[in-house]
Amino acid sequence: MFVTILFNVPPGGCAYTHVHQGPGIRCLIEGGLRIDTHGRSTSYGPGGAWYETGSDPVFAQGSADKPSRFIRVMILPRALIGQSSIRYVNEADKAKPKSQSYKIYADAPIEFTGWK
């Protein structure tokens, strides 16, 4: 399944430590975002892109003083059509309010024909 989602992160917003059920590429469109994974932090500005394996825990912190937006493109199992792929590493984070909002642009099965 091919998934494309636009995320809006308000100033100071975050995505609690999480994993996904598949890999994907992200690209920051506006603002700033710090990604913590593999024991290190990397900050991105507009146009910055990064890859997430899906299975490695990630924490994301938005810019303190301005909103941020990024696009996420993923290939996921078909069983997830219409469902979220996120899983929180800390069970307590699942119930916490989420500051980010999103819009799904693509959530569709894909099929490659002619492959052996």
Side-chain angles (χ1 to χ4, degrees), residues 38-100:
H38 297 284
R40 60 183 186 263
S41 295
T42 304
S43 294
Y44 296 92
W50 66 100
Y51 172 79
E52 293 182 15
T53 65
S55 59
D56 294 316
V58 172
F59 173 84
Q61 180 66 58
S63 173
D65 60 349
K66 56 188 167 192
S68 302
R69 295 186 316 143
F70 70 93
I71 295 262
R72 179 178 81 192
V73 177
M74 300 175 75
I75 302 295
L76 296 171
R78 282 183 178 218
L80 291 176
I81 291 177
Q83 300 177 41
S84 176
S85 72
I86 197 167
R87 293 181 182 163
Y88 291 97
V89 172
N90 303 311
E91 188 62 29
D93 288 343
K94 187 175 183 179
K96 291 179 181 175
K98 310 304 183 283
S99 58
Q100 68 272 21

